[in-house]
């Protein structure tokens, strides 16, 4: 059976591209309370604020460039003899622009979603609550972002990949946001080797067989070289 590597990435892999991480310690994301900008209740209470927030995140992501870690994972995906499945919690598109194929379990800044009929389309640079759906015409446009309390995308597909994987790697994720934080346990249950790559050990470090500590732009290319035998 061929080796299958499942990689979970988080905000830390984009940090050196200049995109701020979510600071779980104080519950703030770019100086906003998570309750205000990343929950359905926050959106219902103040849709203008939430659209402004994601419009700003989109602009920031467009200005950012993929870094050596994103590019190394794309190289792994194209050169590894087995299968490399990358699932990201990030809503930026730096993995794709670095050349990788990824699934966005928490949605994407470059996608718009109709809350009335669930149609998706390419997000305009600036999204407004008065934008109408190209399918049903309702003015219920929202960022295609999975907020706290909502079901992440691709969960069945991810579960299938975790069951068969031989190696599971978590990169730049604090391990505090579920269900992603539980993936390492699912991989362990199937006998996979588990590796954490992070700036510093996280609280879930005991779940991993191996820790690689340091900046993603250095540690990820080095780990990819190791896997590819370079
Ligand atoms: P997090 O912000 O909670 O944790 C980031 C982790 O990255 C930390 O453990 C930190 O030690 C590590 N880190 C920071 N800089 C690093 C570097 N240079 N190299 C390696 N590791 C580094 O991130 P999370 O676990 O992904 O959870 C954040 C949630 O907020 C997600 O649900 C995500 O959707 C959202 N978010 C996304 C983005 C993005 O798309 N880039 C940015 C902020 C938040
Ligand atoms: Zn619609």
């Amino acid at each position: 059976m061929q080796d299958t590597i499942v990689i979970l990435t988080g905000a830390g892999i984009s940090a050196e591209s200049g995109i701020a991480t979510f600071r779980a310690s104080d519950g703030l994301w770019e100086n906003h309370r998570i309750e205000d900008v990343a929950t359905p209740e926050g959106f219902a209470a103040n849709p203008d604020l939430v659209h402004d927030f994601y419009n700003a995140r989109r602009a920031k992501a467009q200005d950012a460039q993929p870094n050596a870690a994103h590019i190394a994972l794309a190289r792994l995906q194209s050169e590894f003899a087995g299968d490399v499945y990358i699932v990201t919690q990030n809503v930026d598109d730096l993995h794709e622009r670095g050349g990788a194929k990824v699934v966005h379990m928490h949605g994407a800044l470059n996608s718009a979603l109709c809350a009335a009929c669930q149609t998706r389309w390419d997000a305009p640079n600036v999204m407004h609550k008065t934008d109408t759906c190209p399918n049903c015409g309702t003015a219920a446009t929202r960022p295609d972002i999975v907020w706290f309390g909502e079901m992440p995308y691709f969960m069945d597909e991810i579960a299938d990949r975790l069951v068969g994987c031989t190696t599971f790697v978590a990169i730049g994720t604090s391990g505090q946001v579920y269900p992603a934080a539980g993936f390492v346990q699912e991989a362990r249950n199937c006998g996979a080797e588990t590796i954490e790559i992070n700036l510093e050990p996280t609280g879930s470090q005991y779940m991993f067989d191996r820790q690689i500590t340091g900046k993603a732009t250095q540690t990820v290319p080095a780990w990819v070289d190791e896997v590819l035998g370079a």
Side-chain angles (χ1 to χ4, degrees):
M1 212 176 71
Q2 71 170 8
D3 284 346
T4 303
I5 303 174
V6 174
I7 300 173
L8 171 70
T9 69
I13 199 166
S14 295
E16 290 166 81
S17 292
I19 298 181
T21 59
F22 161 57
R23 296 177 50 197
S25 52
D26 56 14
L28 295 182
W29 184 0
E30 291 276 359
N31 296 321
H32 287 274
R33 292 172 32 190
I34 288 302
E35 297 86 331
D36 295 338
V37 296
T39 63
E41 296 77 17
F43 184 59
N46 195 342
D48 287 331
L49 171 86
V50 175
H51 275 301
D52 286 350
F53 177 79
Y54 290 99
N55 289 337
R57 303 280 71 71
R58 188 176 305 109
K60 184 91 186 174
Q62 282 169 355
D63 283 347
Q65 297 302 325
N67 65 44
H70 299 107
I71 292 165
L73 292 187
R75 179 168 161 249
L76 181 68
Q77 213 169 32
S78 70
E79 295 182 14
F80 185 63
D83 188 42
V84 178
Y85 180 77
I86 305 174
V87 44
T88 187
Q89 298 167 89
N90 294 346
V91 295
D92 66 57
D93 61 352
L94 295 179
H95 278 300
E96 291 92 322
R97 284 163 53 207
K101 182 175 180 295
V102 302
V103 296
H104 284 270
M105 64 177 291
H106 288 169
L109 288 168
N110 57 20
S111 178
L113 173 68
C114 174
C117 77
Q118 312 304 316
T119 292
R120 291 190 168 80
W121 64 98
D122 290 344
N125 286 343
V126 180
M127 213 186 280
H128 296 109
K129 67 175 181 182
T130 49
D131 292 350
T132 53
C133 168
N135 179 51
C136 74
T138 310
T141 298
R142 56 168 278 181
D144 190 8
I145 303 287
V146 177
W147 288 322
F148 287 92
E150 297 182 321
M151 179 60 81
Y153 302 150
F154 304 106
M155 289 307 290
D156 290 347
E157 181 180 305
I158 295 166
D160 285 349
R161 295 305 188 110
L162 287 169
V163 165
C165 77
T166 43
T167 306
F168 173 80
V169 190
I171 303 175
T173 176
S174 60
Q176 303 208 357
V177 180
Y178 279 83
F183 292 172
V184 59
Q185 184 63 60
E186 291 179 49
R188 274 182 90 89
N189 290 347
C190 307
E193 181 193 16
T194 55
I195 305 173
E196 176 172 74
I197 304 181
N198 203 300
L199 199 54
E200 56 198 13
T202 67
S204 50
Q205 74 210 61
Y206 62 91
M207 298 295 296
F208 292 89
D209 299 318
R210 182 177 167 198
Q211 303 277 316
I212 302 173
T213 308
K215 289 183 171 180
T217 55
Q218 290 162 11
T219 52
V220 176
W223 172 72
V224 168
D225 281 350
E226 181 191 314
V227 174
L228 293 176

